Amino acid sequence: SISFSEFSRAFAQSTSRYQVHPLKKQNKTIKFIPLMTCPAVLPTTWISVVERDEIIRKPADTLKTGDAILGANGTVSKFSGEVTSGAGSSPTTFYGINDEVPFFSSCQPLWTNGGWKAVQPEMTKKTHPWLTVGRLTVGDYVFKLCPEITSPEVVKYDRTIITKFTTHSLSSDKLQLSFQSDEGAKTFHGNGLLMSNNHPEATTKGMTKNVKSLPIEEKKELTKVLRGD
């Protein structure tokens, strides 16, 4: 295992701002909206959260607004309660690493020894044009939380080399999740792997905040466009 500090400098240089979206309510704590193509994980994916200064794991679809999501280097972000649904009009292929059950989409960025990478980086760039993303391939190293780590103050990772991918085609009526954070780090751990959060500015909260910051003349022009004037 290695300490995150060994590659935190490269990570800091690569990490930048992010964006997101809201959909119909699946439970009382989460809002959803449909999105045709987006980085996503399956609802059963284990997400590392911090409770009472201890790292625990929760299935993605059981997260509650305000949950403390464990990010890179022991940082913590606050779950916004908004989730993007990646369910589209055609089947989606999900991927796993080595012998793991598939759980992440082809455009979900993972942190590697070469920075952010995804199976289909060209798709990732459509939703994250500001993020430098390479192609995730066999031979890359991904970073997975050491299973014995229980405190966010001492975060260590196992470097896992990718020897193969497992795949599973998911029908379009199956929910895929891309959850978001209000504040703090824009990263999370899905099944222990370090990944990026997605679309933080396309949610209802984010869009409202951005519109409020517009100059009055731009607000007027936007209003005309929305009205179809």
Side-chain angles (χ1 to χ4, degrees):
S1 64
I2 66 170
S3 169
F4 189 84
S5 62
E6 294 181 47
F7 61 93
S8 59
R9 179 177 299 179
F11 176 84
Q13 292 174 346
S14 173
T15 303
S16 60
R17 65 188 183 87
Y18 289 71
Q19 290 190 343
V20 299
H21 287 67
L23 183 154
K24 63 181 181 180
K25 288 190 176 180
Q26 174 113 343
N27 63 40
K28 294 181 180 179
T29 64
I30 299 178
K31 297 178 182 179
F32 299 85
I33 64 164
L35 186 64
M36 290 297 292
T37 303
C38 73
V41 295
L42 294 180
T44 53
T45 301
W46 292 104
I47 305 300
S48 299
V49 301
V50 179
E51 289 188 1
R52 300 182 181 88
D53 297 322
E54 183 178 356
I55 299 173
I56 65 171
R57 300 191 307 164
K58 287 186 175 182
D61 60 355
T62 67
L63 292 174
K64 297 180 180 179
T65 302
D67 274 349
I69 307 297
L70 179 69
N73 203 22
T75 53
V76 174
S77 60
K78 182 180 177 183
F79 175 50
S80 68
E82 293 178 297
V83 174
T84 331
S85 165
S89 58
S90 60
T92 301
T93 300
F94 274 70
Y95 293 79
I97 289 172
N98 300 337
D99 293 319
E100 288 190 341
V101 174
F103 71 97
F104 61 89
S105 67
S106 62
C107 49
Q108 172 65 55
L110 281 70
W111 183 250
T112 74
N113 57 317
W116 289 116
K117 292 189 177 183
V119 175
Q120 290 186 301
E122 62 276 8
M123 299 299 294
T124 309
K125 291 173 183 177
K126 292 181 179 180
T127 55
H128 294 64
W130 53 87
L131 190 65
T132 300
V133 184
R135 188 173 303 280
L136 188 67
T137 62
V138 169
D140 284 330
Y141 283 89
V142 291
F143 292 82
K144 191 168 188 176
L145 278 175
C146 293
E148 69 272 14
I149 298 300
T150 59
S151 170
E153 295 183 2
V154 185
V155 173
K156 291 185 179 181
Y157 294 81
D158 287 327
R159 288 207 323 170
T160 301
I161 189 170
I162 301 175
T163 59
K164 66 178 180 180
F165 290 103
T166 54
T167 60
H168 176 67
S169 183
L170 189 72
S171 61
S172 60
D173 62 341
K174 301 298 183 181
L175 189 64
Q176 311 151 29
L177 302 182
S178 173
F179 65 91
Q180 318 307 331
S181 300
D182 267 338
E183 54 189 53
K186 300 302 182 183
T187 53
F188 71 101
H189 296 87
N191 287 353
L193 293 175
L194 182 57
M195 301 180 166
S196 75
N197 272 7
N198 314 301
H199 323 302
E201 291 169 1
T203 58
T204 303
K205 289 182 181 179
M207 293 174 70
T208 300
K209 179 180 178 180
N210 289 342
V211 170
K212 285 183 177 179
S213 67
L214 291 174
I216 186 64
E217 291 303 317
E218 291 187 25
K219 287 180 181 178
K220 290 179 180 179
E221 289 301 316
L222 178 59
T223 300
K224 291 180 181 180
V225 172
L226 294 175
R227 289 176 177 174
D229 295 347

